[in-house]
Amino acid sequence: MTGRRLTSLLAYVTTAAAGASLLSGCGVLPGTTGGSREPVTVMTWAPDGTRATNMPGMPAMAQAYARWANASGGIDGHELRILTCNEQNTSAGAAACARRAVREKVVAVVGSYSQNGRAFMAPLEAAGIPYIGGYGISEDEFTSPLSYPVNGGQASLMAGHGMQLAESCRKVSLVRPDTVAGDKLPDLLDSGLRKSRHGGATDIPAVEDAGEYTQQAGRARTKAGRENGCVAAVLGERTQTFFDSFRRLPGPEDGGARSDRGTSDDDSADAVRISSVLGSVSQPVIDRTGGARSPFEGAYVTGWYPEANDARWAPMRKVIQRHAFADNRVDPADAGVQTTWIAYTVLKKVVESLDRDSVTAGAVSHALDRGVTIDTGGLTPELRWRYEDLLGAPGFPRIVNHQVTFQVVRQGRLVAQKPGFVDVGETVLTAP
């Protein structure tokens, strides 16, 4: 056999052996050490295709995160496997997702959205599965010992929103869902308003999935009054529907929405100003409704995180660009997508801190309870869930991040009304 033929034969054998090794080593990731570490399986759930609030970007962001992590060798050598579930905005749907998480033996539920905390937390608690970085919409996320929230939830948003509105609004009307979760919102908003010796807001409950809100819009405008009045709507995905009804109210003499005229922050014209919180109003919603000509122009908005164009979101944007570029569910300006990114940042840090070949749900929750510290790159304060780190507020004892941001819609963009974070922990503590 000639030297050339021998070299070719050796190259073929080497290539075939390598291919056989790759086939037999199913699940082995590039960059891992022989695939000795077991995969880490987690679940992310959110409602999709419902008549109320939908959050399809959260599971989609989880899948993009897994593609990015696995392309780089996984999380500390572990392949990240994502299960997703449509929570359907029902207690039955939430419970079904939780039971599936238990059956699939996930090590955590990460970056998920559900208003039905009582339905999903009980199955997770029974199986010892931690709930990391939920959206913060249900009270159970801030009471369960197996929940590790990354933001202050609706409690911090509403208390902060009251503080934001107290600076500019003489009277405030609050339009909110007529639900168990919505029943908590008036007291929280009032705690922020009263911190500045402001009277409480007029509470206007509304059906969460209504097709129009003319009656509630008219009452809200009347109660807010024409002199520096503000109408706050916190209806999730239906907030856009409410403000569409609001701007269609007849009679300019009755006082239209100040945002319709695109006024600036310090405009003192007699008109009602609109406002909301992140999640009910977001940059994607503003873009869909006309940008600078949107009904949200000039609106006050309270958020958990820095504005979407802040440089601290650059790592997330890079992952989305490379691994979810064609997926229109994943918008980097969406609060659900942002919360999911932060939640998976927590998961990554915890798994790396364990440095084990096999990761269990118990090991994850134990590491969090023992005080592993999470640096989110300035998107939140450092996160840690030891007993002494918990806020301990009535109804929301497990809040560890009680900072919010004050934003305003200017020329179709959500921008910072004031720089930095505002600590609302004391305000949440004093809420009824």
Side-chain angles (χ1 to χ4, degrees):
M1 183 178 291
T2 66
R4 179 177 297 176
R5 290 183 63 193
L6 180 59
T7 300
S8 299
L9 179 60
L10 287 173
Y12 172 82
V13 171
T14 301
T15 302
S21 175
L22 286 172
L23 289 172
S24 63
C26 183
V28 177
L29 299 168
T32 62
T33 56
S36 61
R37 297 203 152 177
E38 295 181 2
V40 169
T41 302
V42 301
M43 178 178 281
T44 297
W45 63 53
D48 190 14
T50 74
R51 293 183 60 192
T53 298
N54 296 296
M55 286 286 177
M58 298 181 77
M61 181 69 240
Q63 292 168 328
Y65 190 97
R67 288 191 289 270
W68 167 69
N70 292 337
S72 305
I75 298 179
D76 198 32
H78 299 271
E79 177 190 4
L80 178 58
R81 294 180 177 174
I82 305 293
L83 304 178
T84 63
C85 190
N86 185 353
E87 182 267 358
Q88 299 177 350
N89 262 326
T90 66
S91 58
C97 288
R99 289 194 298 268
R100 183 183 166 207
V102 174
R103 286 197 308 272
E104 300 280 358
K105 295 181 172 58
V106 305
V107 303
V109 174
V110 186
S112 297
Y113 180 104
S114 177
Q115 298 186 48
N116 302 289
R118 292 182 183 178
F120 71 74
M121 278 309 311
L124 296 185
E125 288 175 347
I129 297 173
Y131 188 74
I132 300 174
Y135 189 82
I137 196 71
S138 74
E139 186 174 333
D140 297 75
E141 296 176 56
F142 299 99
T143 58
S144 171
L146 280 174
S147 179
Y148 303 88
V150 299
N151 58 47
Q154 290 289 97
S156 292
L157 284 184
M158 294 304 296
H161 198 51
M163 294 170 62
Q164 184 180 19
L165 296 184
E167 297 178 359
S168 304
C169 307
R170 181 172 173 267
K171 291 183 179 179
V172 177
S173 296
L174 171 64
V175 183
R176 50 83 174 180
D178 190 8
T179 62
V180 173
D183 290 344
K184 303 284 185 181
L185 303 186
D187 286 341
L188 290 164
L189 183 73
D190 287 351
S191 69
L193 288 170
R194 289 170 178 156
K195 188 174 178 65
S196 300
R197 293 185 172 87
H198 193 288
T202 299
D203 179 26
I204 304 175
V207 177
E208 187 178 28
D209 58 355
E212 58 87 27
Y213 293 95
T214 303
Q215 181 180 354
Q216 293 85 356
R219 185 179 174 216
R221 190 175 71 178
T222 299
K223 292 294 184 180
R226 293 182 59 182
E227 185 181 348
N228 294 325
C230 291
V231 171
V234 183
L235 292 165
E237 200 166 89
R238 293 291 170 162
T239 303
Q240 175 182 334
T241 304
F242 170 81
F243 282 124
D244 186 57
S245 296
F246 184 78
R247 67 173 174 172
R248 292 175 186 272
L249 291 174
E253 69 277 8
D254 295 329
R258 182 177 304 176
S259 60
D260 287 344
R261 297 202 301 273
T263 56
S264 63
D265 283 348
D266 57 358
D267 189 283
S268 59
D270 287 345
V272 177
R273 187 147 201 166
I274 65 174
S275 72
S276 191
V277 297
L278 204 65
S280 288
V281 172
S282 63
Q283 190 60 56
V285 170
I286 296 166
D287 293 341
R288 287 198 305 268
T289 55
R293 300 182 65 85
S294 164
F296 298 107
E297 182 67 21
Y300 294 130
V301 179
T302 304
W304 291 306
Y305 315 122
E307 59 185 293
N309 290 329
D310 191 284
R312 285 167 285 189
W313 292 112
M316 181 190 74
R317 288 181 173 276
K318 186 175 181 181
V319 168
I320 292 173
Q321 184 177 18
R322 292 187 177 182
H323 297 278
F325 179 76
D327 192 339
N328 59 13
R329 296 173 298 169
V330 185
D331 191 316
D334 179 75
V337 169
Q338 294 171 349
T339 300
T340 303
W341 169 262
I342 294 170
Y344 274 90
T345 300
V346 173
L347 177 73
K348 182 175 186 291
K349 299 288 187 180
V350 172
V351 172
E352 289 172 344
S353 75
L354 292 173
D355 190 24
R356 296 182 181 179
D357 290 342
S358 177
V359 175
T360 65
V364 171
S365 58
H366 183 67
L368 290 165
D369 293 338
R370 290 290 299 271
V372 60
T373 301
I374 311 298
D375 180 357
T376 63
L379 297 173
T380 69
E382 281 192 339
L383 300 174
R384 191 171 55 187
W385 293 269
R386 298 176 308 173
Y387 177 79
E388 53 266 39
D389 300 313
L390 307 180
L391 181 63
F396 309 95
R398 290 189 65 80
I399 290 178
V400 297
N401 174 10
H402 34 86
Q403 296 189 359
V404 299
T405 56
F406 291 169
Q407 302 176 30
V408 66
V409 182
R410 289 199 191 106
Q411 298 181 346
R413 305 300 301 174
L414 264 173
V415 297
Q417 183 190 18
K418 60 172 59 178
F421 290 97
V422 178
D423 193 327
V424 299
E426 183 181 339
T427 307
V428 175
L429 279 169
T430 60

